[in-house]
């Protein structure tokens, strides 16, 4: 982080424009080599002995190919600042066949890639720039047991101002007494190694052009507005439609695009108003976060299918459970299969060490049987082979690419 802070002081408006919007798919070469690095091998080494470990180990020296089973979650944010050019390039190199852009809008109603409309204070260097004065809520230091805080939104800035910022690893220091200290909060299992320089933020248009130059596919997610709508005359339907229109304007086939939203009405809107896109829109189902919500979500699956929803994507924990010490498909997964709905899971590599509380949120239904990081592949194997997921979002696509290539996915 300290190298990032130092460099961000020196870099301003011109630095963002210095990186071309489109990178060559092959970097001047005729062949593109997918590279998975050493992490998959480390995970396999840490697995318990058994048939799955033997199978994965047997694939160690094969040539790896891009796979559409691999959805890059915000790029490759385990080690690269999310939704930046550098993060997307890493995801491409690691074999992701589908790359995500979470979509938010700026003050002048332009669409950009951010995980949330109001996350600039934790994912960019805005608090270390003069644009901090435009934040919805200015930086407030830690005092008397109250955490440091700030709130900076894409809708606080014009597109030009947004593009002048530098990406950073998502995180903040709640005990900070200065803005610079606040920016220094990368989680223990990630790194600031690739956050130096000025990681380039992406617009929806530059993301579309970049992914198209690689011949890959898209999964843009409409993020819920954090300002009252309409916003300066910009209605919610304008926003929903603008994402579709961006792909239409660039003549991107709907078959290459998996629109996503946590809001079911967004999916219903696309099914009705942009049916070619709507037929493979993904409903990100967060209702499963509570036991009552999980039960309600499972019961609602036939009704969603009747309304035209064809793909559901809950957090990965909701698709598995443990029965007599064995990880098996959950009731939710069984109900989706019965209704003819495909499943996408999220998000692999989003947790810290599995030795700590079994992996936390993403492994909560199997935490009593996940003991080491190699068990990540045990869970992925159940999701792929028994649940039959269509794809897996990953913060480090290489780990899923390794598995997908080994099993021909």
């Amino acid at each position: 982080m300290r190298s990032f802070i130092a460099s961000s002081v020196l870099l301003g408006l011109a630095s963002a424009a210095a990186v071309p919007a489109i990178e060559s798919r092959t970097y001047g070469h005729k062949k593109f080599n997918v590279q998975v690095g050493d992490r998959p091998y480390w995970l396999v080494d840490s697995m318990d002995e058994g048939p799955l470990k033997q199978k994965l180990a047997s694939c160690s020296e094969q040539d790896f190919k891009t796979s559409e089973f691999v959805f890059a979650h915000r790029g490759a944010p385990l080690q690269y600042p999310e939704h930046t050019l550098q993060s997307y390039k890493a995801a491409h190199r690691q074999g992701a066949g589908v790359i995500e852009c979470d979509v938010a809008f700026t003050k002048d109603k332009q669409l950009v890639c951010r995980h949330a409309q109001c996350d600039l204070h934790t994912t960019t260097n805005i608090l270390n720039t003069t644009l901090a004065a435009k934040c919805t809520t200015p930086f407030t230091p830690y005092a008397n047991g109250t955490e440091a805080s700030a709130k900076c939104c894409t809708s606080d800035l014009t597109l030009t101002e947004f593009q002048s910022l530098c990406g950073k690893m998502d995180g903040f220091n709640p005990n900070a007494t200065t803005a610079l200290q606040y920016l220094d909060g990368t989680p223990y299992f990630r790194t600031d190694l690739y956050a130096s320089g000025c990681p380039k933020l992406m617009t929806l248009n530059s993301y579309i052009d970049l992914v198209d130059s690689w011949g890959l596919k898209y999964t843009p997610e409409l993020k819920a507005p954090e300002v009252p709508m309409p916003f300066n005359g910009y209605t919610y339907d304008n926003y929903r439609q603008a994402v579709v229109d961006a792909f239409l304007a660039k003549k991107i086939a709907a078959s290459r695009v998996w629109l996503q939203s946590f809001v079911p009405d967004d999916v219903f809107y696309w099914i009705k108003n942009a049916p070619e896109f709507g037929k493979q829109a993904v409903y990100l189902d967060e209702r499963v976060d509570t036991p009552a919500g999980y039960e309600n979500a499972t019961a609602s699956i036939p009704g969603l299918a009747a309304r035209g929803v064809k793909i559901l994507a809950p957090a990965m924990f909701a698709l598995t459970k443990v029965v007599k010490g064995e990880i098996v498909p959950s009731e939710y997964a069984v109900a989706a299969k019965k209704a003819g709905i495909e499943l996408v899971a999220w998000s692999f590599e989003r947790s810290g060490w599995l030795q700590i509380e079994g992996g936390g949120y993403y492994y909560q239904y199997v935490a009593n049987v996940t003991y080491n990081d190699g068990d990540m592949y045990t869970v992925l194997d159940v999701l792929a082979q028994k649940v039959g997921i269509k794809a897996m979002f990953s913060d480090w696509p290489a780990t899923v690419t390794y598995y997908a290539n080994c099993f021909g996915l």
Side-chain angles (χ1 to χ4, degrees), residues 320-331 365-366 368-369:
T320 58
K321 64 179 183 178
V322 176
V323 176
K324 297 180 179 179
E326 180 183 0
I327 302 174
V328 298
S330 68
E331 293 85 358
Y365 284 7
V366 297
N368 59 333
V369 295

Side-chain angles (χ1 to χ4, degrees), residues 312-388:
L312 286 171
M316 55 188 280
F317 76 82
L319 298 176
T320 58
K321 64 179 183 178
V322 176
V323 176
K324 297 180 179 179
E326 180 183 0
I327 302 174
V328 298
S330 68
E331 293 85 358
Y332 185 106
V334 171
K337 183 175 182 180
K338 183 177 180 180
I341 288 181
E342 294 184 300
L343 294 166
V344 175
W346 48 273
S347 294
F348 213 61
E349 298 282 23
R350 192 74 191 158
S351 295
W353 299 334
L354 267 63
Q355 299 96 312
I356 299 177
E357 298 180 350
Y361 174 81
Y362 290 96
Y363 294 86
Q364 58 186 283
Y365 284 7
V366 297
N368 59 333
V369 295
T370 50
Y371 306 111
N372 56 60
D373 284 356
D375 287 331
M376 292 170 57
Y377 272 140
T378 303
V379 175
L380 180 59
D381 188 61
V382 173
L383 290 167
Q385 307 301 331
K386 295 182 180 180
V387 174

Side-chain angles (χ1 to χ4, degrees), residues 83 88 100-106 109-118 154 162 202-205 207-208 219-226 234 236 238-244 246-247 257-261 266 270:
H83 292 311
Y88 289 157
E100 180 187 49
C101 165
D102 293 321
V103 181
F105 58 84
T106 61
K109 306 166 192 173
Q110 301 300 304
L111 301 182
V112 297
C113 300
R114 283 293 91 197
H115 177 64
Q117 185 176 17
C118 297
T154 57
F162 172 84
M202 301 294 290
T203 67
L204 180 62
N205 282 332
Y207 153 81
I208 293 174
T219 182
E221 179 190 335
L222 192 76
K223 303 307 295 188
E226 296 186 45
Y234 192 56
Y236 196 36
N238 292 154
Y239 180 36
R240 289 166 168 156
Q241 188 62 41
V243 179
V244 174
F247 287 92
V257 183
W258 282 272
L259 297 172
Q260 318 168 59
S261 179
D266 294 344
W270 293 321

Side-chain angles (χ1 to χ4, degrees), residues 49-347:
E49 295 299 328
L52 179 58
K53 180 173 183 175
Q54 292 173 9
K55 170 63 176 175
L56 289 171
S58 74
C59 299
S60 64
E61 307 312 314
Q62 72 180 58
D63 291 331
F64 295 97
K65 307 295 182 184
T66 298
S67 171
E68 291 179 14
F69 182 78
V70 187
F71 280 21
H73 183 239
R74 315 186 200 181
L78 182 67
Q79 296 194 40
Y80 289 84
E82 63 187 47
H83 292 311
T84 61
L85 173 65
Q86 291 75 13
S87 192
Y88 289 157
K89 288 174 69 174
H92 176 216
R93 179 60 69 181
Q94 292 177 27
V98 183
I99 295 180
E100 180 187 49
C101 165
D102 293 321
V103 181
F105 58 84
T106 61
K107 186 175 183 179
D108 47 354
K109 306 166 192 173
Q110 301 300 304
L111 301 182
V112 297
C113 300
R114 283 293 91 197
H115 177 64
Q117 185 176 17
C118 297
D119 73 358
L120 298 182
H121 50 288
T122 65
T123 64
T124 76
N125 66 332
I126 188 169
L127 294 180
N128 195 35
T129 74
T130 57
L131 293 174
K134 297 193 173 188
C135 289
T136 296
T137 305
F139 170 71
T140 302
Y142 170 88
N144 302 319
T146 300
E147 291 186 354
S149 63
K151 184 177 181 179
C152 306
C153 308
T154 57
S155 51
D156 293 332
L157 308 178
T158 65
L159 179 62
T160 298
E161 290 168 338
F162 172 84
Q163 291 178 301
S164 74
L165 298 175
C166 303
K168 79 171 192 72
M169 294 299 288
D170 186 18
F172 70 99
N173 177 1
N175 299 315
T177 57
T178 68
L180 284 179
Q181 290 176 357
Y182 185 85
L183 294 173
D184 193 359
T186 301
Y188 75 89
F189 58 92
R190 299 190 182 123
T191 179
D192 292 306
L193 185 61
Y194 303 112
S196 62
C198 182
K200 179 181 172 59
L201 304 190
M202 301 294 290
T203 67
L204 180 62
N205 282 332
S206 64
Y207 153 81
I208 293 174
D209 290 341
L210 182 69
V211 174
D212 192 38
S213 75
W214 293 333
L216 303 181
K217 296 186 178 181
Y218 307 85
T219 182
E221 179 190 335
L222 192 76
K223 303 307 295 188
E226 296 186 45
V227 293
M229 301 292 283
F231 175 75
N232 296 335
Y234 192 56
T235 69
Y236 196 36
D237 281 352
N238 292 154
Y239 180 36
R240 289 166 168 156
Q241 188 62 41
V243 179
V244 174
D245 290 346
F247 287 92
L248 291 174
K250 292 180 178 292
K251 297 181 170 55
I252 303 297
S255 60
R256 294 176 63 191
V257 183
W258 282 272
L259 297 172
Q260 318 168 59
S261 179
F262 280 100
V263 180
D265 282 347
D266 294 344
V267 177
F268 300 147
Y269 173 89
W270 293 321
I271 290 170
K272 178 181 179 181
N273 296 284
E276 288 303 304
F277 290 86
K279 67 183 180 183
Q280 61 180 32
V282 181
Y283 173 25
L284 300 163
D285 192 355
E286 63 183 346
R287 298 173 298 168
V288 299
D289 278 2
T290 66
Y294 176 90
E295 185 176 345
N296 175 59
T298 302
S300 75
I301 287 174
L304 291 171
R307 293 196 64 176
V309 176
K310 298 185 182 301
I311 307 174
L312 286 171
M316 55 188 280
F317 76 82
L319 298 176
T320 58
K321 64 179 183 178
V322 176
V323 176
K324 297 180 179 179
E326 180 183 0
I327 302 174
V328 298
S330 68
E331 293 85 358
Y332 185 106
V334 171
K337 183 175 182 180
K338 183 177 180 180
I341 288 181
E342 294 184 300
L343 294 166
V344 175
W346 48 273
S347 294

